[in-house]
Amino acid sequence: MPGSPRLALLCALLCALPWLPRAAAPPSPAQPPAQRRDPQDPARGADFDRVYSGVVNLSTETIYAFNYTSQPGQYFLYKFPEDVDSVIIKVVSKMAYPCSVVSVQNIMCPVYDLDHNVEFNGVYQSMTKKAAITLQKKDFPAEQFFVVFVIKPEDYACGGSFFVQEKENQTWNLQRTKNLKVTIVPSIKGSVFVKSILLSFLIFFSFYLVCLLIAFVHYVRFQRKSIDGSLGSTDDSGTMAVSHPIAASTPEGSNYGAIGGSSSSPGRQMTSPEGGQPCQSDTDSSVEESDFDTMPDIESDKNVIRTKVFLYLSDLSRKDRRIVSKKYKIYFWNIITIAVFYALPVIQLVITYQTVVNVTGNQDICYYNFLCAHPLGVLSAFNNILSNVGHVLLGFLFLLIVLRRDILHRRALEAKDLFAIEYGIPKHFGLFYAMGIALMMEGVLSACYHICPNYSNFQFDTSFMYMIAGLCMLKLYQTRHPDINASAYAAYASFAFVITLTVLGVVFGKNDVWFWLIFSVIHILASLALSSQIYYMGRFKIDLGMFRRAAMVLYTDCIHQCSRPLYTDRMVLLVMGNLVNWSFALFGLIYRPRDFASYMLGIFICNLLLYLAFYIIMKLRSSEKVLPIPLFCIVATAVLWAAALYFFFQNLSSWEGTPAESREKNRECILLDFFDEHDIWHFLSATALFFSFLVLLTLDDDLDVVRRDQIPVF
């Protein structure tokens, strides 16, 4: 009764142990295993040196091509050579369906080769066109294993249709056949691990050496200038004079911010005739004094100062430096607290994921690039974890650079250096410290995500990316608005709200129109609210009457009498920003991308790039300079981000589909036989973020010799 279900079941239950010595014996030279008589005949098994029990002997680096059927009882045996400690089983097929399972099982009885029990033993993967399993000799006591293939009765597990189509030639409950090619190749040796680890650390430690060299050169130059007395020319009062201060664009007839000359306009720092320290008058305005009451307390009113047409940095740096600096230090301490409480549960969860993978053998839980996943210890893909070391090392290096600047600035303040007190951008380093911690935590959480990448923990890889983008925008805004930047509590509460929305989007954002509708409304309203705060310098009150006030302004300035915006530069930025954000909201509502976390990250990055471009354009428009170091950092940032994004979009895996569909995108390693394209993305993106931070840190170094009442606000 050939082909009967009872015979197939009986064959599946029989053990092959008595014939293992024959199967494991090396093939005869007269009949090499690679020779095939009839690969189209599944009944004869394509002459794989078959023994009576149905066991086929596999050898290293030999391609076995055959047609596999849904009939059980066909096993493939592999024995580790003496000089091989780890191998990779690679299975490919030109046919996506029927869906199949590749299982590697220890030598034991019975062999689980049925659809309902293949998951009971060993390591297994579902498969459409590709499968790859890395195995180590230490995991098999007999130093040999079975490779078992199972054709599933339906294709839903691999991403196929769950419902039977009327016009399709379905093979439901019939014999299903799939053409397969199996290759077993040795994995990388331990020396490759050592070489890759050392190279990864050496590349990023070279940044430390370069920074030390630059710091040493600056120190030597500073010492020489101190000895020669060439730090700057001084006048008779001992105050350093700036020969060509940056002139701001002011209305005709206005002398706000002018230095020197006979003008006595209020609000200017002036050196007393006795040669004492410069003083600042109580008033500071760019309009005529006759325009409003000049009572002494009027300058304490924020509404008067911040709603002037032409603002200068001295207008927005009136608060006590110590109080403002302490306010920004809260960013640093809060992000450390957030990092600890966020990272500990994440580490515990991914360790649990990895334990489940190791215990059950189910390799469909994690979406690795299996063709380039190198296990080490209990970790299934150590290379994806190692490649995140750049974020941690460069984040720590950035903290050291900021610390050095902070120490030098404090020394200058203690020495009552006029340039540290009255010139340049006010130095507050709290946000820079927070950015360095965020970069380090991005590396830690990205490594945690890559321990077992899947649909349910992708937000671990992106949470601190949101915070990095947000902190960069806050720092860029703080540069020219030190007194009115958001508090740490409000900023981190906003980040928490964004991450909450991201989690909801990952869970509900696949096909639910109502979620995208609500999110788009929230996105547009938040853009408008933030725009109003930026346009009116924080003086726009968000309360129940804001809609009435907004309607009145819209009617007065746009409908009743169309007038030019009071703050043209700010209006241009905000119009462009709102167009970008409304476009994102409309795109999400129409297309509803499945990868909501990346969609949200794209919103943050586009807003950051838009603001940075606006800032640099306005800086050049204000006749300010970009020094060589920040210019080099800008160019390096652009080049590195372009290269990093190229490797990011290679898509070596995707949890948006089934595990079997994800493996179709897997590729071989391209660097040192150890790292794949995504690992290179980690290296390049870490370096690009580091240079991006250096851009923000050094961009306004040219203003260190410019008085604050000459630095425009934009």
Side-chain angles (χ1 to χ4, degrees):
M1 49 179 182
S4 75
R6 293 184 179 181
L7 179 60
L9 182 59
L10 179 61
C11 294
L13 294 178
L14 289 177
C15 290
L17 294 179
W19 294 274
L20 284 181
R22 292 179 55 191
S28 172
Q31 291 184 342
Q35 293 181 359
R36 309 288 173 261
R37 279 205 292 259
D38 188 3
Q40 303 299 323
D41 185 2
R44 297 199 316 190
D47 192 21
F48 278 110
D49 192 22
R50 178 179 295 277
V51 296
Y52 176 75
S53 63
V55 177
V56 175
N57 183 41
L58 302 180
S59 60
T60 308
E61 297 184 352
T62 302
I63 299 176
Y64 298 90
F66 59 97
N67 284 343
Y68 199 86
T69 69
S70 57
Q71 178 182 355
Q74 302 176 28
Y75 317 132
F76 301 87
L77 177 71
Y78 179 81
K79 184 175 182 179
F80 282 94
E82 293 183 0
D83 59 338
V84 175
D85 295 322
S86 178
V87 296
I88 303 177
I89 301 177
K90 301 178 182 179
V91 186
V92 296
S93 175
K94 296 181 180 179
M95 307 165 54
Y97 301 107
C99 178
S100 59
V101 175
V102 182
S103 174
V104 176
Q105 303 178 21
N106 207 344
I107 302 299
M108 61 180 297
C109 180
V111 178
Y112 298 98
D113 59 349
L114 299 176
D115 175 55
H116 67 274
N117 65 11
V118 69
E119 302 174 358
F120 291 173
N121 183 30
V123 181
Y124 61 92
Q125 295 178 1
S126 59
M127 173 189 170
T128 51
K129 292 184 177 181
K130 285 183 182 180
I133 302 177
T134 302
L135 303 165
Q136 301 182 68
K137 183 189 292 186
K138 65 181 181 64
D139 296 329
F140 299 93
E143 298 185 357
Q144 54 188 349
F145 54 79
F146 278 137
V147 181
V148 180
F149 297 94
V150 174
I151 304 294
K152 297 185 73 68
E154 43 80 21
D155 298 327
Y156 180 71
C158 292
S161 176
F162 182 76
F163 301 99
V164 178
Q165 304 295 325
E166 293 182 0
K167 296 183 179 180
E168 291 186 1
N169 184 17
Q170 297 291 327
T171 56
W172 194 278
N173 292 330
L174 300 177
Q175 186 173 1
R176 291 154 63 87
T177 304
K178 188 165 188 173
N179 179 269
L180 299 172
K181 289 184 180 180
V182 182
T183 310
I184 300 182
V185 297
S187 185
I188 60 174
K189 297 185 179 296
S191 59
V192 179
F193 276 86
V194 175
K195 181 172 63 175
S196 302
I197 294 172
L198 290 178
L199 182 63
S200 301
F201 280 90
L202 286 175
I203 288 174
F204 293 108
F205 277 128
S206 65
F207 284 85
Y208 284 74
L209 295 177
V210 172
C211 290
L212 282 175
L213 180 61
I214 294 174
F216 178 74
V217 171
H218 275 268
Y219 175 78
V220 172
R221 292 178 60 188
F222 180 80
Q223 291 297 322
R224 288 180 178 176
K225 287 184 178 181
S226 298
I227 295 174
D228 298 339
S230 59
L231 282 173
S233 60
T234 57
D235 56 16
D236 295 337
S237 63
T239 303
M240 189 173 295
V242 181
S243 58
H244 297 289
I246 294 179
S249 175
T250 56
E252 185 177 355
S254 172
N255 55 5
Y256 178 85
I259 293 181
S262 61
S263 174
S264 59
S265 64
R268 216 165 31 255
Q269 296 176 336
M270 303 178 62
T271 304
S272 62
E274 296 78 15
Q277 293 291 334
C279 58
Q280 184 167 345
S281 64
D282 292 332
T283 60
D284 194 358
S285 173
S286 62
V287 295
E288 296 294 331
E289 293 183 0
S290 58
D291 291 346
F292 55 86
D293 187 3
T294 56
M295 292 178 63
D297 62 341
I298 196 168
E299 286 301 300
S300 64
D301 188 352
K302 298 177 182 178
N303 293 316
V304 173
I305 296 176
R306 297 181 186 176
T307 55
K308 293 190 299 183
V309 177
F310 296 98
L311 277 171
Y312 292 86
L313 191 58
S314 58
D315 297 321
L316 299 180
S317 58
R318 303 170 66 91
K319 294 182 180 179
D320 187 90
R321 182 196 61 80
R322 294 167 299 176
I323 297 175
V324 176
S325 183
K326 189 174 294 185
K327 167 188 172 183
Y328 289 122
K329 283 291 178 65
I330 299 176
Y331 276 95
F332 171 65
W333 294 112
N334 278 10
I335 200 170
I336 291 179
T337 306
I338 293 170
V340 171
F341 279 91
Y342 193 91
L344 289 179
V346 169
I347 294 173
Q348 182 181 9
L349 178 62
V350 296
I351 289 176
T352 302
Y353 271 124
Q354 184 67 73
T355 303
V356 171
V357 172
N358 294 340
V359 171
T360 64
N362 183 4
Q363 297 202 352
D364 284 352
I365 296 176
C366 306
Y367 288 72
Y368 304 116
N369 176 17
F370 287 91
L371 289 175
C372 189
H374 303 296
L376 181 66
V378 297
L379 301 174
S380 299
F382 175 72
N383 54 302
N384 294 148
I385 300 170
L386 175 65
S387 59
N388 286 284
V389 70
H391 295 86
V392 179
L393 293 179
L394 293 181
F396 186 71
L397 176 59
F398 182 74
L399 289 177
L400 294 179
I401 295 173
V402 174
L403 178 62
R404 177 182 176 274
R405 286 205 167 205
D406 194 3
I407 292 174
L408 293 177
H409 181 65
R410 279 190 231 163
R411 289 176 181 174
L413 292 176
E414 291 172 358
K416 296 183 179 180
D417 186 351
L418 182 64
F419 277 75
I421 299 173
E422 301 292 344
Y423 285 68
I425 302 294
K427 304 295 191 296
H428 303 295
F429 296 97
L431 272 169
F432 283 128
Y433 284 121
M435 289 159 57
I437 295 295
L439 180 55
M440 296 177 67
M441 288 307 303
E442 170 59 26
V444 172
L445 291 178
S446 178
C448 290
Y449 164 71
H450 284 90
I451 290 177
C452 183
N454 58 52
Y455 161 81
S456 62
N457 62 8
F458 180 64
Q459 65 269 21
F460 301 160
D461 194 22
T462 55
S463 295
F464 270 82
M465 288 297 293
Y466 304 142
M467 299 185 72
I468 288 174
L471 289 172
C472 288
M473 284 187 281
L474 286 172
K475 183 59 196 177
L476 208 53
Y477 187 78
Q478 179 218 52
T479 302
R480 309 270 173 159
H481 313 79
D483 285 356
I484 60 174
N485 209 359
S487 68
Y489 307 111
Y492 288 128
S494 301
F495 296 153
F497 178 71
V498 168
I499 293 174
T500 302
L501 275 180
T502 304
V503 173
L504 294 176
V506 170
V507 176
F508 300 107
K510 292 181 180 179
N511 297 309
D512 295 325
V513 179
W514 62 267
F515 170 81
W516 284 99
L517 184 62
I518 295 174
F519 173 78
S520 300
V521 171
I522 293 175
H523 188 182
I524 293 174
L525 291 179
S527 300
L528 292 174
L530 184 61
S531 299
S532 63
Q533 288 294 310
I534 294 175
Y535 187 76
Y536 291 107
M537 292 291 180
R539 308 314 304 156
F540 185 85
K541 295 182 179 180
I542 298 179
D543 52 22
L544 294 178
M546 63 179 180
F547 298 105
R548 181 178 57 84
R549 295 195 301 272
M552 185 178 299
V553 171
L554 184 65
Y555 174 77
T556 304
D557 294 347
C558 299
I559 300 177
H560 180 69
Q561 181 180 0
C562 186
S563 59
R564 180 182 177 182
L566 190 61
Y567 313 109
T568 306
D569 294 335
R570 271 179 264 168
M571 178 60 71
V572 171
L573 169 66
L574 296 174
V575 167
M576 294 176 61
N578 277 274
L579 288 176
V580 170
N581 284 277
W582 294 0
S583 300
F584 267 103
L586 187 63
F587 174 83
L589 186 61
I590 295 175
Y591 293 99
R592 299 191 293 276
R594 297 188 63 181
D595 190 356
F596 185 83
S598 297
Y599 166 79
M600 182 71 83
L601 185 59
I603 295 175
F604 271 80
I605 292 177
C606 284
N607 280 276
L608 173 59
L609 292 177
L610 177 65
Y611 191 21
L612 180 61
F614 171 82
Y615 189 93
I616 294 175
I617 291 172
M618 291 300 299
K619 181 178 177 67
L620 298 176
R621 184 168 172 246
S622 301
S623 301
E624 298 176 10
K625 297 182 296 183
V626 179
L627 297 180
I629 289 181
L631 181 60
F632 170 77
C633 292
I634 291 173
V635 174
T637 300
V639 172
L640 286 168
W641 274 123
L645 290 174
Y646 169 79
F647 288 101
F648 175 75
F649 287 113
Q650 294 304 306
N651 290 330
L652 303 180
S653 62
S654 175
W655 45 259
E656 295 182 17
T658 64
E661 291 174 327
S662 173
R663 275 185 281 274
E664 294 181 14
K665 303 178 180 181
N666 290 178
R667 297 182 192 172
E668 302 280 353
C669 303
I670 62 171
L671 180 62
L672 301 176
D673 291 328
F674 192 82
F675 297 112
D676 59 17
E677 285 94 336
H678 196 75
D679 295 322
I680 298 177
W681 147 256
H682 287 161
F683 290 136
L684 293 177
S685 63
T687 311
L689 283 171
F690 175 71
F691 277 104
S692 301
F693 289 1
L694 290 182
V695 170
L696 299 182
L697 183 65
T698 62
L699 186 57
D700 289 314
D701 284 353
D702 61 300
L703 301 179
D704 287 345
V705 293
V706 180
R707 286 173 55 162
R708 290 175 188 168
D709 56 6
Q710 289 291 312
I711 300 176
V713 172
F714 43 77

